Amino acid sequence: LPDEPAGDNHYQDFLETVAFLGDRDQADAVARDLTAMRQIALQGGDEFSGRRVAVRVEDRLRRVMCRTERLAATPERDGMLVERDDGAAVFEYWRSAPYTVNLMERYQVKRKFEAALLAPSDELLAQLRRATGLLRREDIETYQRIDPGNAKLRALADDVLRDGADRIAWIPPSLPYYAPQGAFAEAAAGRLTKRLVFSAWNVVPKAVSVLLSYEVERRASRAAGGAGRERYEQRITPPLRFQFENARLTGMPVLGVLYPSVTLAEVGDPWELARAVGGGLPADLGAVRAELRRRIEALLAKLPPGTDTGVADERWYWAAPLVLDDDRRSQLGFRGRMAGWGRGTGPDDDEG
C-alpha cells in the first residue's frame, strides 16, 4: 500500500511463510511455479500447461495452509464459521495506536524524546503538563479507568470484555469435561473466542496488550475491594516458595498442583469418569468429584499408616501422589529423588 514503509515485499514474505510452514525446497518450488503462471498469463501459452502448474501450486499450498476438514463439517462447507456484524469496528490493518509516547519503542521520535528528557527545557515540561494523550503514573497506581484513546481499541475492548473475559482465566473449552460453573456457566462466556488483529506497526501489539491487560487487572482490583495497585499487589503472594525451615520443608503442598502424577491422571481420566457416573460429556461435576474421591481413598488406604499422635501429617498432601507413582512404577525412582531433596540444603539455598 502507498503508506507502507519502503522495503515491504509481500511476495517475499509469503514465500518465507511457506518455507517456515513447510521447507525451503517447497517454497522454491512454489516460487518457480508462480513465475511460470505469471509468464503464461502475461505472454500467453498453452491453457492446459497453465492449469497444470496452477494445480501443482494448489497441492503444495494445501499441505500447509488449508483447513477444509473443519469447513466440511456442514453441507454448506461453512463449518465453525459465524458471520457477525460488528458495526463500524471492522479493520483490515491497524495503522494507529494510543499513548504512543508512553508505549512506542525503537522509533526515532521516541529516542529523541528520551534524549530531550535528560535535560528538559521549560517549554518541554510545559507541553507535558498540558498533554492529554499520555499515561500518568498516579492514574495507573490508583487504578483509575484509562480510556483506550483509540476508536479501534475501544471497539475491541467493548467486544471482548462485554462477554466476561475479565472474569475467567482462559477461553472456555469447546468440549468441556464437566458442566461449567460460575462465570464459565454464564451464557456470555460461551460466546468467547479468540480475536486476530493485524498490524504493520510495531507499537500496536504492545498498546493492545498493555491497555487490555490493565483494564482486566483494574476490574480484578475493584472486585477485590477497590484497593490501589500498591495494596492490591501486597495481597498477591508468590505462588512457589519452597523453603527448609526448622528441619522441615514448607510450601510443598503447592507441588501437588504442579506434579504430573501418572496414577492420578489415570484414575481421573475424564472420559472414564463420565462413563462411571452414567453419562456423557459434559459430566456432572458433583458426581465426578464423588467418584474420584472414592477411587483416591481406595488408593490411599494401601499406603503405610500414619502416626497415632492425632496430629495430621501434612506432608501427605504433596508426597502421596509421588509415593503412589513409586508404588506402581518403581523404576521412576521417586523415593530416591525425594531422599535427595533433604540433603545439602539450607534456608538460603533457593535451588535446593
Side-chain angles (χ1 to χ4, degrees), residues 5 36 58 70 79 98 109 142 197 215 228-229 281 339 341:
E58 292 173 1
R70 293 189 178 183
V109 63
T142 56
V197 178
E215 177 58 20
R229 172 174 292 270
L281 298 181
W341 287 351

Side-chain angles (χ1 to χ4, degrees), residues 22-316:
D23 54 47
R24 176 56 61 183
D25 291 341
Q26 185 167 317
D28 292 342
V30 169
R32 288 193 299 270
D33 285 342
L34 290 179
T35 300
M37 290 174 59
R38 182 176 186 274
Q39 290 175 346
I40 293 173
L42 295 178
Q43 301 174 7
D46 181 21
E47 180 179 347
F48 176 76
S49 298
R51 179 57 187 162
R52 184 175 57 190
V53 175
V55 170
R56 200 159 57 223
V57 171
E58 292 173 1
D59 288 342
R60 288 195 174 99
L61 294 183
R62 280 200 178 104
R63 299 173 190 171
V64 296
M65 58 188 301
C66 187
R67 302 306 298 269
T68 53
E69 76 279 2
R70 293 189 178 183
L71 298 180
T74 60
E76 297 79 12
R77 302 190 69 81
D78 61 353
M80 299 186 72
L81 297 179
V82 177
E83 182 175 341
R84 187 173 71 184
D85 183 7
D86 281 334
V90 178
F91 327 101
E92 290 185 355
Y93 275 7
W94 285 30
R95 295 181 179 278
S96 61
Y99 308 109
T100 51
V101 174
N102 295 97
L103 301 176
M104 67 168 53
E105 297 176 358
R106 301 189 302 276
Y107 289 85
Q108 287 295 331
V109 63
K110 181 62 175 288
R111 292 172 179 172
K112 293 180 179 179
F113 176 72
E114 290 177 337
L117 287 178
L118 296 178
S121 64
D122 293 340
E123 181 182 0
L124 176 59
L125 294 177
Q127 291 285 354
L128 289 176
R129 293 189 185 98
R130 292 193 297 267
T132 57
L134 294 175
L135 295 174
R136 300 190 178 278
R137 179 185 296 272
E138 57 270 22
D139 293 338
I140 301 297
E141 291 180 345
T142 56
Y143 278 126
Q144 299 299 311
R145 186 181 184 281
I146 303 297
D147 185 85
N150 179 285
K152 300 172 184 179
L153 183 56
R154 191 177 296 114
L156 178 64
D158 291 342
D159 177 39
V160 174
L161 299 181
R162 72 184 174 196
D163 288 340
D166 57 304
R167 291 182 287 113
I168 58 179
W170 51 79
I171 296 290
S174 57
L175 181 63
Y177 294 147
Y178 324 114
Q181 296 185 345
F184 285 95
E186 298 180 6
R191 295 196 301 269
L192 276 176
T193 185
K194 296 179 181 178
R195 307 299 196 273
L196 189 60
V197 178
F198 293 92
S199 177
W201 281 21
N202 291 330
V203 70
V204 169
K206 184 176 181 180
V208 172
S209 60
V210 165
L211 292 173
L212 285 184
S213 297
Y214 171 79
E215 177 58 20
V216 170
E217 186 176 319
R218 188 187 72 86
R219 296 187 181 198
S221 171
R222 184 173 59 184
R229 172 174 292 270
E230 182 178 352
R231 289 181 56 199
Y232 177 65
E233 291 180 345
Q234 288 176 353
R235 300 177 61 171
I236 302 175
T237 58
L240 301 177
R241 294 193 66 179
F242 303 129
Q243 296 179 337
F244 195 72
E245 297 178 354
N246 300 323
R248 71 183 187 92
L249 294 168
T250 64
M252 295 301 290
V254 181
L255 190 64
V257 183
L258 305 177
Y259 169 67
S261 171
V262 177
T263 303
L264 295 183
E266 291 181 351
V267 301
D269 184 319
W271 280 102
E272 217 288 308
L273 284 170
R275 287 192 293 266
V277 299
L281 298 181
D284 178 73
L285 183 58
V288 167
R289 280 179 169 166
E291 172 63 16
L292 190 55
R293 181 187 184 96
R294 184 191 66 79
R295 296 182 181 187
I296 293 177
E297 286 179 343
L299 291 173
L300 294 177
K302 300 178 182 179
L303 298 181
T307 63
D308 296 329
T309 62
V311 179
D313 189 347
E314 295 184 353
R315 291 178 298 175
W316 280 115

